[in-house]
Amino acid sequence: MHHPGAVRSARILVINPNSSRAVTAAIDAALDPLRLAGGPAIAVTDLPEGPASIGSQQDADSVVMPLARRIAADGADAFVIACFSDPGLHTAREVAEGRPVMGIAEWGLLRSLTLGERFGIIALSEGSVRRQRRMVRQMGLGARYAGSRPVEARADETAGEAIRDRLIAAARILVERDGADVLVLGCAGMALHRAAVERAIGQPVVEPCQQAVAAALGAVLLRTAL
């Protein structure tokens, strides 16, 4: 039976595991369309212990336990890890004790499969490309992967207007040279550029924070409908 009061009191916590307030603000703004009247609250926070940008595997690994502690201590109904490395995703699912935990890379790639035949990823850096190749392989999606193209930026630089031309240039290479017909933004800080990149290249562009939160929203709504 559906309980409207349960939905109104539900909460989804979106955690940006770096310490950049600019990235957190970009994520927060991109999620406004998912804030439904009477629906679950969507809260966005950063991780003060995290680095300013997650650019290496060491950066990603460094936030696993702080993330896990944050999730274990919070009473939210669902969680989203808002970093395209999906750091600590499986550890987070262990400590969440059955509550949904969504990784934005996982959900961004899964959504891209429904929009085109071959997805390309706009990456932060060459280091990010290496991690993305590994993630694609581990998810078994190699046959659908056109590749990743880096813009050589830090996460905290992606929230500003200055980066937009570089995102569009990388997107064009992915489409025209690599054969991608759907693109995934490879950093949470790129959230506010989705529509502009999509208009510029004429192909679908997936903003993974939106997709992961949409999935968490569905999970919470369906759970409270039981």
Side-chain angles (χ1 to χ4, degrees):
M1 183 178 179
H2 185 64
H3 298 288
V7 174
R8 277 195 295 271
S9 63
R11 185 169 62 95
I12 296 166
L13 181 63
V14 181
I15 306 174
N16 165 26
N18 69 42
S19 56
S20 168
R21 292 186 177 180
V23 171
T24 303
I27 295 167
D28 203 13
L31 298 180
D32 277 345
L34 297 169
R35 292 184 164 104
L36 308 177
I42 299 171
V44 183
T45 186
D46 57 19
L47 195 68
E49 307 99 307
S53 178
I54 294 180
S56 67
Q57 190 62 53
Q58 290 179 69
D59 290 336
D61 290 346
S62 75
V63 302
V64 173
M65 293 316 296
L67 260 176
R69 287 192 290 270
R70 181 77 172 83
I71 288 169
D74 197 282
D77 298 271
F79 300 90
V80 173
I81 298 175
C83 170
F84 204 76
S85 296
D86 283 354
L89 180 58
H90 302 293
T91 300
R93 285 175 175 159
E94 280 186 356
V95 301
E97 298 181 331
R99 292 171 295 169
V101 181
M102 313 302 188
I104 68 167
E106 187 175 81
W107 276 100
L109 298 188
L110 291 174
R111 174 59 172 148
S112 76
L113 300 179
T114 72
L115 296 172
E117 273 301 307
R118 301 188 76 214
F119 64 88
I121 304 172
I122 302 174
L124 272 184
S125 64
E126 281 294 346
S128 303
V129 172
R130 287 192 292 274
R131 293 197 304 282
Q132 288 163 12
R133 287 174 181 154
R134 186 164 61 241
M135 180 179 298
V136 167
R137 185 180 68 249
Q138 290 169 342
M139 290 180 70
L141 302 179
R144 305 280 295 274
Y145 178 46
S148 297
R149 293 284 178 171
V151 295
E152 297 305 336
R154 300 188 313 271
D156 54 331
E157 294 174 317
T158 61
E161 294 289 330
I163 196 77
R164 186 166 291 177
D165 288 345
R166 283 151 69 186
L167 298 179
I168 291 170
R172 286 209 172 101
I173 294 172
L174 284 163
V175 171
E176 296 169 8
R177 195 180 304 175
D178 301 330
D181 56 4
V182 56
L183 300 177
V184 182
L185 299 179
C187 175
M190 299 175 185
L192 297 179
H193 304 290
R194 189 202 68 78
V197 176
E198 187 168 283
R199 281 194 302 270
I201 62 163
Q203 299 286 357
V205 176
V206 172
E207 198 295 292
C209 290
Q210 291 174 335
Q211 299 303 326
V213 173
L217 194 60
V220 170
L221 293 173
L222 290 171
R223 176 174 288 186
T224 56
L226 295 177

